[in-house]
Amino acid sequence: MKFRQELWKLYTENSIKIRNLTVKFQEKTVLDNLHLTIHPKEYLVILGPTGAGKTTLLRTIAGLLKPTQGNIVIGNFDITNLPPEDREVAYLPQNYSLFPYMNVRDNVLFSPRVKKTKTDNEMTELVTEVLDMVGLKERYDAFPNELSGGMMQRVGLARAIAADTKIFLLDEPLRALDARLNIQLRTEIRHLVKDLGITCLHVTHDQDEALSIADRILVLKEGKIVQMGKPATIYNRPQNYFAAYFIGESTSLEGVIQEITDECTIVLLPSNHQLICRPSELEKGVKVKILAKTETIDLNPIEDSNHEFQGDNIFTGEVIDRVFLGKFSNILVKIEGMNNPLIARISSYDVDKFKLNSLVQVKIEPHDLTPFLEE
Amino acid sequence: MTFKQRKINASLFLDYFSAFSSSRLLSKIFYFFVLAFFLFLILTPTVYVIFYLFGQSEVVIAYFQTQPEAFNMIQEALFYSVSVAVIVSIVDLIFGIPLAWLLVRGMLSGRIKTILNILIELPLAVPTAGLGLSVALFWGVVPGISSPPFSLRIITSALPILVLFHFTTTFPYVVRSLAAILEEIDVYLEIAGRTCGASSFTAARTITFPLFRSGVATSLILSLAKSLSDTGGVMSVLSATQISVWTGTVLIGTWKHEIDIPARVNLDLIPPLAFLCVAMIFIALILMSTSRLIAKRVKIPIKKVWYETERKLSEKRSITTRNTLAIVFLGLFVLIPSFFLILYIPIGFTSSSLQVDWFRFFGSIANSLIVSIVATTINVLLGVPLGIFISRKKNRISNFFNVLVDIPYVVPSSALGFSVGLFWNAQQLISNQLFFVIMAHSAMTFPFIVRNVIGGLEDLDLYYEETARTLGARNFQIFYLITLPIIKFSIIAGIIMSFTRSVGETGATLAVATGFETAPVFIVNLINEHQFFNASLAIIALIVCTSLVILVLRTTFGQKKVRRV
């Protein structure tokens, strides 16, 4: 008990420091020399494509995998070799792993029972309180197979809360839910975690989910950290091509740096167009990739001579497709000489202004374009 | 002590045990003990008999030189054993595949499917000695009794009657295992093939069948192992029809009897008998590996399509013909011969005098129950941890044991029984016959529990155990709170399989200890004495006892009760 309380104190007051963490499965390196610090009570979302090592990182922190190298330290206490049952972290795997032959109540009370931390009366109070928190008070005697995906997810959370730990490890907790429920629950989870003052690591491959709930996002690719920062920073100021490409929808353009000034970088596209981008520290003559995010591309029908675009990065192209997305629509514009059509996102109210095969003016502000080295 | 106090004490004990048993060192010691025990009890006897034979090779050669008829007997026995096993296995597959297909992929209503499943499994309830008598009454000529109505009485030679008998013991296993494996193959693969224009036969042949070959291998091995192993049924069928030939298992039983009869103990027969056992073991292993190899290597033509022929084979008429043939086979060659004994009972009742030696009768049933229950208990205690070890610790040692576990399964039970007897006699530690029989039965049925535990754990997502660990549960708590409740049903299924196999076993008992009469041995003895009616009664009594034990097991553990933590 004393050990547990000391751990709680450590977890609530100190950052989790992950140093030189490497995990290898036979010859394959799944996590490659990770360095990161997770602040107490922080909601950190680990984002990355399939095979990036997200689940492996979570399982290593839970103690279910032994790192090949490196350590996990909290305060001055090294927990790398602490078995999972002594770590006081609650891990919620992808399928929630509700024990199938236990009802909701027994699932929720699993941890206090095996740890012998509560009396019977305390447990009765706890289960009522926790199920109330997740809105499932009425379903305490239901079995997992009688619950919907959203309810199972909530029971999984309730079980983690009842475990009375200070760190939550959630592995794609919203994966199996439909879009509407996904959006509703992501907010609920964040509020719950913040109210309880818990440090939470949440793994996902869904960028919208990550952007909407994270205090900070950690982008992983092939076991390496691509970027770590606040959602807005990751979205607006990606540090490399992968981070820029993985988050948001964009068109990729390739070119060679023609000139670099203090105000801008000029890139020459294969179509001989010049693209003015943000200033960069790259060298003249190198091959680069530029991502134009859909919402940064402005369009103007060529017939509308009153509104002619002025300034840099103005091109003329032809509308080759229109994709209706509900509130917004994507307009695909083919510019002579460019390999990929530019995708511009406009309000669906304006779609009729851009008829198929009509000519349009395209404009991209230089500060929205960052050239990245080809990877 | 009140109930509540007792419950608290039990819970305290579990806590102490949990803390104690969850230490890593203890867990290692425990697994070491289980593995050592498995090697010593289950596997060593088989290896011992081989070494014994090497040591006695000169004696064996000398024996065969002076007694050439003994060698001829062995040749005949092996010829019958192998040819019967091969013929039966091939025919089983020919009719078993369409029947399994009908069960899994056929558009049968739920009720018809259930009935068909029950019909297929029914013969498993009858001890093989009973099946032997029943087959003899249906197909063969049983001298000295008035035949029941509808008996065919057309088979008078050894090979066909043995083949016909083995259909009743092997076909249900073959269909069951084929159906279970077919169930696991995604039906949508075939549907996708058909939407691309393949006829149902072409789709089945080119898409499902290549995925099904491991299932075919398993069924082939099952069928070969069962027919090589059977002793009681073969003894019954040969004895009732008075056809005198040797098969491997019958010869082992007979020679072992001659070695042990108090009046004329013939110890000279031990080395040639060891030779026969080792020959049977090697033949079994060779047949198994050959069938595995054939199933693995044989190329199924998946690119070539015989459009017209396969279209015709996919027509409703062809499918109906195929299904009818399979069902007729099930009825005529499996079900009717298995239960033909029922028609004999009224005749036997009127024509025989009821002179049952009740003491022998109940004594043999009690012996059977004791042996089966103790052997099964040993298997559970050893098999469950070994199953967990093999499926959860993925390393070289567990892979090694994974292969070893199946050995008792393919080795003919009488060869295994003789090896166990030889091994324990050589130790001169224990000379109790009951102990020998239990050891032999335990070795023979061991794989059932282990395989079922492994199967159950494969279905159990590792995430449950991991989640429980992060929630604070220790090794033993995880075992009894998470793993056990989920694999409980697989263990019960294993217990039932192990128990029924042990209750019906004749060969291992005869080969390990002469004079120890279990119920199937008693039945075989009655048939040898031509007391067919008494034998029928004993068969029915044994079926009732077995069913009762299974019923008790099913009602006690069978329902999916909710376990409170």
Side-chain angles (χ1 to χ4, degrees):
Chain A
M1 195 67 195
K2 204 178 165 207
F3 173 70
R4 185 170 293 140
Q5 279 166 347
E6 278 172 15
L7 260 186
W8 288 347
K9 207 170 162 223
L10 268 175
Y11 287 165
T12 34
E13 289 171 2
N14 295 284
S15 301
I16 305 170
K17 293 188 188 109
I18 293 172
R19 296 288 172 257
N20 294 72
L21 193 77
T22 299
V23 176
K24 287 185 182 176
F25 293 148
Q26 283 151 359
E27 289 308 302
K28 193 173 185 288
T29 306
V30 186
L31 290 180
D32 193 359
N33 203 16
L34 298 194
H35 280 272
L36 66 125
T37 302
I38 303 152
H39 307 312
K41 301 182 186 177
E42 178 178 30
Y43 203 116
L44 179 75
V45 174
I46 303 164
L47 180 67
T50 311
K54 306 181 296 283
T55 300
T56 306
L57 175 59
L58 219 58
R59 286 161 58 81
T60 314
I61 297 172
L64 296 165
L65 284 175
K66 276 230 161 118
T68 320
Q69 194 190 306
N71 48 19
I72 305 168
V73 180
I74 298 172
N76 52 5
F77 185 59
D78 188 337
I79 62 161
T80 319
N81 291 317
L82 203 62
E85 58 268 33
D86 292 333
R87 268 193 205 202
E88 293 297 317
V89 294
Y91 169 56
L92 189 64
Q94 283 185 14
N95 57 1
Y96 324 128
S97 288
L98 298 186
F99 307 128
Y101 48 87
M102 290 183 200
N103 62 18
V104 167
R105 185 190 148 85
D106 290 334
N107 260 291
V108 170
L109 289 179
F110 183 83
S111 187
R113 273 177 178 156
V114 294
K115 289 182 192 162
K116 313 270 173 211
T117 48
K118 298 250 186 299
T119 63
D120 283 354
N121 287 340
E122 282 170 341
M123 281 201 276
T124 313
E125 275 173 34
L126 177 71
V127 82
T128 321
E129 185 189 327
V130 171
L131 285 178
D132 200 20
M133 245 186 246
V134 296
L136 276 175
K137 212 162 129 189
E138 313 298 319
R139 301 304 306 270
Y140 67 94
D141 57 349
F143 282 86
N145 60 3
E146 297 163 1
L147 301 173
S148 67
M151 287 174 175
M152 290 203 315
Q153 209 274 343
R154 287 194 176 109
V155 177
L157 272 179
R159 187 175 62 186
I161 297 169
D164 210 4
T165 61
K166 298 296 168 204
I167 298 177
F168 273 13
L169 305 173
L170 313 178
D171 193 356
E172 306 229 13
L174 306 167
R175 185 195 179 111
L177 307 178
D178 62 63
R180 183 170 287 275
L181 199 59
N182 180 316
I183 293 169
Q184 182 195 334
L185 274 181
R186 60 170 87 143
T187 332
E188 280 182 26
I189 293 179
R190 186 182 156 86
H191 283 309
L192 204 67
V193 166
K194 287 290 164 191
D195 288 348
L196 292 165
I198 285 171
T199 310
C200 182
L201 274 73
H202 174 135
V203 157
T204 184
H205 62 266
D206 180 339
Q207 42 163 316
D208 292 338
E209 191 178 312
L211 292 169
S212 62
I213 49 172
D215 289 335
R216 282 195 303 162
I217 295 177
L218 165 70
V219 185
L220 272 187
K221 186 198 169 197
E222 291 167 3
K224 291 188 179 132
I225 296 178
V226 172
Q227 191 173 353
M228 189 169 176
K230 290 187 172 154
T233 316
I234 300 256
Y235 190 86
N236 296 321
R237 294 286 171 262
Q239 282 172 0
N240 53 34
Y241 179 75
F242 179 81
Y245 181 76
F246 193 68
I247 296 174
E249 194 182 352
S250 45
T251 308
S252 172
L253 300 167
E254 287 173 20
V256 177
I257 296 187
Q258 200 177 32
E259 206 179 325
I260 302 175
T261 66
D262 287 346
E263 286 82 37
C264 67
T265 311
I266 302 170
V267 177
L268 185 68
L269 302 180
S271 56
N272 276 334
H273 290 103
Q274 275 188 336
L275 201 61
I276 317 293
C277 308
R278 284 154 48 81
S280 77
E281 289 170 1
L282 300 168
E283 285 171 21
K284 201 173 154 182
V286 295
K287 274 185 152 188
V288 286
K289 280 187 170 182
I290 305 128
L291 285 164
K293 289 228 153 77
T294 51
E295 67 277 14
T296 61
I297 300 175
D298 284 332
L299 297 183
N300 186 31
I302 217 109
E303 298 119 34
D304 188 2
S305 49
N306 298 336
H307 265 96
E308 209 163 297
F309 284 146
Q310 302 290 328
D312 295 324
N313 296 341
I314 297 167
F315 311 101
T316 305
E318 182 192 350
V319 175
I320 56 164
D321 202 2
R322 305 185 300 179
V323 183
F324 178 70
L325 299 168
K327 198 173 172 186
F328 298 101
S329 289
N330 279 353
I331 308 288
L332 276 72
V333 181
K334 173 81 184 159
I335 294 166
E336 185 123 14
M338 281 193 197
N339 291 339
N340 295 331
L342 287 173
I343 305 169
R345 178 159 297 182
I346 58 161
S347 162
S348 288
Y349 290 114
D350 297 333
V351 158
D352 288 340
K353 289 186 197 164
F354 304 98
K355 303 228 158 37
L356 265 181
N357 304 325
S358 65
L359 289 179
V360 287
Q361 255 194 327
V362 179
K363 182 177 183 191
I364 317 167
E365 290 295 340
H367 63 79
D368 287 326
L369 295 171
T370 313
F372 297 109
L373 272 183
E374 266 192 69
E375 284 174 20
Chain B
M1 196 185 285
T2 65
F3 177 71
K4 200 171 176 187
Q5 274 172 326
R6 222 177 272 169
K7 211 171 145 190
I8 291 166
N9 282 354
S11 141
L12 271 177
F13 167 75
L14 279 177
D15 288 346
Y16 284 129
F17 189 69
S18 168
F20 173 63
S21 63
S22 298
S23 82
R24 270 149 212 254
L25 178 68
L26 199 90
S27 150
K28 276 191 182 149
I29 294 172
F30 177 67
Y31 278 122
F32 176 77
F33 174 75
V34 166
L35 298 183
F37 216 59
F38 164 74
L39 283 178
F40 184 65
L41 283 189
I42 312 293
L43 224 58
T44 317
T46 318
V47 180
Y48 177 80
V49 72
I50 296 169
F51 280 105
Y52 171 85
L53 183 67
F54 277 119
Q56 298 282 323
S57 53
E58 282 172 21
V59 183
V60 175
I61 294 165
Y63 186 87
F64 288 142
Q65 277 165 350
T66 51
Q67 312 266 343
E69 71 277 12
F71 191 69
N72 292 340
M73 281 159 84
I74 289 182
Q75 276 184 318
E76 181 185 314
L78 294 181
F79 164 77
Y80 277 107
S81 284
V82 173
S83 44
V84 167
V86 171
I87 296 170
V88 166
S89 308
I90 293 169
V91 178
D92 274 350
L93 270 188
I94 292 172
F95 291 96
I97 292 175
L99 198 59
W101 219 278
L102 175 67
L103 265 177
V104 178
R105 298 276 162 96
M107 297 295 168
L108 301 177
S109 72
R111 186 181 288 174
I112 293 181
K113 210 177 243 185
T114 314
I115 293 173
L116 198 55
N117 261 320
I118 292 173
L119 284 178
I120 289 167
E121 291 189 6
L122 262 182
L124 300 179
V126 186
T128 56
L131 289 174
L133 178 58
S134 195
V135 168
L137 287 166
F138 181 65
W139 290 108
V141 182
V142 182
I145 61 159
S146 41
S147 296
F150 312 113
S151 58
L152 297 178
R153 299 168 57 88
I154 47 173
I155 309 292
T156 49
S157 48
L159 193 64
I161 197 102
L162 287 174
V163 168
L164 287 167
F165 158 69
H166 278 109
F167 287 148
T168 60
T169 60
T170 56
F171 194 68
Y173 282 104
V174 168
V175 176
R176 222 164 58 155
S177 83
L178 284 174
I181 295 160
L182 192 57
E183 201 98 53
E184 284 172 18
I185 301 174
D186 191 352
V187 70
Y188 285 100
L189 297 175
E190 219 177 287
I191 291 173
R194 291 191 65 187
T195 56
C196 293
S199 65
S200 61
F201 190 89
T202 315
R205 177 177 63 83
T206 55
I207 295 165
T208 309
F209 212 74
L211 296 169
F212 193 41
R213 51 168 79 196
S214 70
V216 172
T218 311
S219 308
L220 203 60
I221 290 167
L222 204 65
S223 169
L224 283 169
K226 275 293 286 176
S227 42
L228 274 180
S229 233
D230 193 86
T231 316
V234 175
M235 280 182 163
S236 300
V237 79
L238 293 178
S239 169
T241 51
Q242 296 193 1
I243 296 171
S244 75
V245 289
W246 297 111
T247 69
T249 52
V250 172
L251 193 56
I252 293 174
T254 314
W255 277 0
K256 174 70 181 164
H257 188 65
E258 278 184 35
I259 291 169
D260 287 353
I261 307 171
R264 45 187 178 97
V265 176
N266 185 359
L267 292 178
D268 293 348
L269 265 175
I270 296 179
L273 183 49
F275 172 78
L276 175 59
C277 285
V278 172
M280 288 287 283
I281 291 172
F282 276 106
I283 285 172
L285 293 176
I286 290 167
L287 282 178
M288 310 307 154
S289 20
T290 317
S291 33
R292 197 161 277 167
L293 207 69
I294 290 172
K296 216 178 188 177
R297 290 285 162 85
V298 165
K299 292 241 183 315
I300 301 168
I302 53 165
K303 286 184 184 157
K304 200 169 161 99
V305 172
W306 295 271
Y307 187 80
E308 286 302 325
T309 323
E310 296 195 310
R311 285 249 151 217
K312 277 199 180 127
L313 286 171
S314 308
E315 281 171 10
K316 202 178 172 197
R317 203 173 38 180
S318 312
I319 296 172
T320 315
T321 316
R322 206 168 57 220
N323 290 344
T324 315
L325 281 176
I327 288 182
V328 166
F329 181 84
L330 174 71
L332 184 64
F333 291 90
V334 182
L335 291 178
I336 297 175
S338 296
F339 294 98
F340 197 71
L341 191 69
I342 296 169
L343 289 186
Y344 170 71
I345 289 173
I347 298 169
F349 186 69
T350 48
S351 62
S352 319
S353 53
L354 190 66
Q355 286 175 322
V356 186
D357 182 345
W358 292 109
F359 185 72
R360 251 178 96 189
F361 183 86
F362 287 114
S364 73
I365 287 181
N367 280 344
S368 265
L369 290 179
I370 291 170
V371 168
S372 313
I373 290 170
V374 176
T376 306
T377 311
I378 293 174
N379 287 349
V380 171
L381 294 178
L382 275 178
V384 174
L386 188 63
I388 294 175
F389 177 78
I390 289 173
S391 59
R392 285 295 185 250
K393 310 250 168 196
K394 299 277 181 211
N395 54 32
R396 276 195 200 142
I397 303 174
S398 70
N399 286 342
F400 175 68
F401 277 91
N402 194 13
V403 176
L404 288 188
V405 161
D406 284 336
I407 289 182
Y409 194 56
V410 290
V411 169
S413 57
S414 40
L416 192 66
F418 175 73
S419 320
V420 170
L422 193 70
F423 173 72
W424 284 103
N425 263 321
Q427 309 315 312
Q428 297 195 325
L429 292 169
I430 302 166
S431 59
N432 185 311
Q433 298 234 316
L434 177 65
F435 173 77
F436 285 14
V437 177
I438 288 172
M439 282 297 113
H441 279 233
S442 186
M444 183 188 76
T445 54
F446 190 73
F448 288 113
I449 303 278
V450 182
R451 279 282 157 242
N452 268 288
V453 169
I454 293 174
L457 281 172
E458 266 168 20
D459 294 340
L460 172 65
D461 201 333
L462 200 62
Y463 281 123
Y464 288 125
E465 294 166 27
E466 290 185 344
T467 312
R469 274 196 90 181
T470 63
L471 290 169
R474 304 194 170 266
N475 283 349
F476 187 73
Q477 284 176 319
I478 294 172
F479 174 71
Y480 82 91
L481 293 175
I482 308 292
T483 318
L484 191 61
I486 296 181
I487 63 165
K488 194 171 77 179
F489 302 103
S490 309
I491 299 176
I492 300 297
I495 288 176
I496 290 174
M497 282 160 92
S498 163
F499 176 79
T500 45
R501 180 76 207 270
S502 171
V503 159
E505 178 61 28
T506 322
T509 320
L510 286 177
V512 74
T514 310
F516 187 85
E517 214 170 41
T518 58
V521 174
F522 175 57
I523 292 165
V524 170
N525 288 340
L526 285 178
I527 293 168
N528 283 338
E529 292 157 25
H530 286 243
Q531 297 187 45
F532 299 125
F533 180 62
N534 292 344
S536 310
L537 288 185
I539 290 163
I540 290 166
L542 188 58
I543 295 175
V544 171
C545 284
T546 318
S547 313
L548 275 178
V549 174
I550 293 174
L551 195 73
V552 169
L553 275 172
R554 284 241 162 99
T555 44
T556 318
F557 303 102
Q559 286 141 6
K560 294 207 169 190
K561 282 181 197 158
V562 185
R563 195 194 161 98
R564 300 271 159 192
V565 185

